[in-house]
Every structure is written in C-alpha cells, then in structure tokens.
Amino acid sequence: DAGVTQSPTHLIKTRGQHVTLRCSPISGHKSVSWYQQVLGQGPQFIFQYYEKEERGRGNFPDRFSARQFPNYSSELNVNALLLGDSALYLCASSTTGFDNQPQHFGDGTRLSIL
Amino acid sequence: AQSVTQLDSHVSVSEGTPVLLRCNYSSSYSPSLFWYVQHPNKGLQLLLKYTSAATLVKGINGFEAEFKKSETSFHLTKPSAHMSDAAEYFCVVSGSGGATNKLIFGTGTLLAVQP
C-alpha cells in the first residue's frame, strides 16, 4: 500500500508570495495533520483535519490555512511568505485522529524562501 | 500541558554496543507516547508506541522502550547498534487527549554510530 505522499518535494519562493502544499493520506485514513519542521528542531503542529473539519490548530498566524477534501487529501496554504517560513512541511495521516492512534508521515515538502 | 524532554541532544555509540536514548514526559493524564526516527532529508518513521497497555513496548528494528510512570520516563533502547541506526530520534507525546491527536515533539537526539 502507498504511504503518505506529499507534493511537491521541493519548492523555492520569494517573500510575499503564496504557496500551496498537497498531501494524500494512506488509503483508509480519515485524519490529516500538518507540521512545520525548522532546521535543527522538532516538528511543530500546525493543523489537524478529520472528515473535512478542522479538529485542531497550532500557534501559527492566520497566513496559514488548510482544508481537507472529500477523498481525505489535504492542502496547506501559506500567504505572504516570510523568510522564517523556510522549513520542511510534513503531512501525517491516521485512521481516526484520536490521540492513541499513531500517525504516519510523508517525506515532506522542503520550502525555501528567498 | 503535555511536554517531553529529551535529555541528550547527541549520543555516540560504537557499532554492536547498546543504545540508550532518554526521554522524560509531563502529562496531566495518562499519555500516549511514541518514538519516531528521522533519517537525513526524510520524513518521520514510527518506531513504537505506548498507549496504556504493556509498559515494555517492542518496536521495529530491534528497538524497545519502557514506560515508567513513577519516573515519568520513556527511554528508548536497543541491545546492539547498527550503522543504519544513525539518525535523529524524537520522543513524542500526544497532545490533548481524546478528540485530537496533536503530537508534541521533543527536541530530538542525534544518534551517531561509529564503526
């Protein structure tokens, strides 16, 4: 079975632009979460979606938004990009999204802001 | 609030010797705890999970971890290190209980394996 897939793998943008990152969960998984991993740090939680509804939001500005589609895939959007948004963006999926369910991660999208 | 503290930022072992990566947690209720591994330029792979069943948890690639409530610890061990174990390891607690599975990551331990 395919794992979590993310696209694109790498992306270079300039300050002020906007970006859309995409994620396809493991088949049968209904929950998708997004994390930001800045170089040298652990991932930080951005959003969780389950059955197309937002279940959780981390401490990120409103420039960050996300949505989940009927097929459970998800998009993360970031507007007005800042240099500090340069990071590895990770998507994770799980079956129900409850806290005892392990999450399975994709390989991430490496976003570089110039 | 939930949190985890990884006590070592770097650990170096020789191939064939035991591995110990230390993690303490803080939780206001019975936590779900995980260890993930991240190889360079890759995503995170789940090694093992604790969700209030057996306190000794066996994972993939020969890793195991023991949940000790009295010590609020969840240390990761492996009897014999392999070169392929060199990676960054994250101790993780699931964040808020119940309806969300927000993960809270430790700062990571970089494991080096010397030949």
Side-chain angles (χ1 to χ4, degrees):
Chain A
D1 284 343
V4 176
T5 57
Q6 292 186 243
S7 63
T9 55
H10 294 83
L11 204 49
I12 299 174
K13 293 285 189 178
T14 57
R15 283 178 296 175
Q17 287 188 312
H18 111 277
V19 68
T20 298
L21 310 181
R22 296 178 175 82
C23 171
S24 292
I26 292 172
S27 177
H29 286 193
K30 298 182 178 180
S31 176
V32 170
S33 297
W34 288 93
Y35 292 81
Q36 181 196 64
Q37 186 178 20
V38 173
L39 196 62
Q41 298 181 20
Q44 299 289 317
F45 173 76
I46 310 175
F47 286 110
Q48 183 197 359
Y49 277 78
Y50 176 71
E51 290 282 15
K52 301 182 292 294
E53 295 202 355
E54 182 183 300
R55 252 212 195 150
R57 172 185 285 254
N59 188 24
F60 280 80
D62 292 344
R63 299 184 296 107
F64 288 76
S65 63
R67 55 180 175 166
Q68 187 177 33
F69 298 100
N71 66 354
Y72 303 111
S73 67
S74 177
E75 284 182 354
L76 175 70
N77 294 283
V78 187
N79 292 325
L81 287 166
L82 303 174
L83 292 178
D85 296 331
S86 295
L88 179 66
Y89 288 85
L90 295 162
C91 173
S93 74
S94 62
T95 51
T96 62
F98 288 94
D99 69 349
N100 61 349
Q101 296 296 313
Q103 295 186 49
H104 301 269
F105 285 80
D107 284 343
T109 294
R110 175 76 59 189
L111 176 63
S112 299
I113 310 301
L114 302 179
Chain B
Q2 313 278 83
S3 67
V4 288
T5 302
Q6 292 185 244
L7 301 173
D8 307 290
S9 59
H10 292 81
V11 169
S12 182
V13 300
S14 298
E15 191 175 21
T17 64
V19 175
L20 170 64
L21 305 183
R22 299 182 295 165
C23 173
N24 287 347
Y25 71 90
S26 173
S27 175
S28 54
Y29 54 90
S30 183
S32 295
L33 292 161
F34 308 86
W35 276 98
Y36 282 85
V37 61
Q38 187 174 34
H39 289 91
N41 299 312
K42 300 290 281 185
L44 294 146
Q45 182 184 20
L46 178 68
L47 282 178
L48 50 80
K49 65 173 182 175
Y50 167 79
T51 55
S52 75
T55 56
L56 183 62
V57 182
K58 293 189 183 298
I60 62 171
N61 300 335
F63 285 95
E64 63 181 37
E66 186 171 8
F67 175 75
K68 291 187 176 180
K69 186 175 181 179
S70 61
E71 298 175 12
T72 61
S73 68
F74 190 57
H75 300 335
L76 182 70
T77 60
K78 182 174 181 178
S80 176
H82 192 272
M83 295 296 290
S84 61
D85 294 328
E88 185 140 33
Y89 291 79
F90 292 97
C91 181
V92 183
V93 63
S94 190
S96 56
T100 74
N101 62 356
K102 165 185 173 181
L103 297 180
I104 297 171
F105 285 76
T107 50
T109 298
L110 189 61
L111 175 65
V113 182
Q114 310 298 330

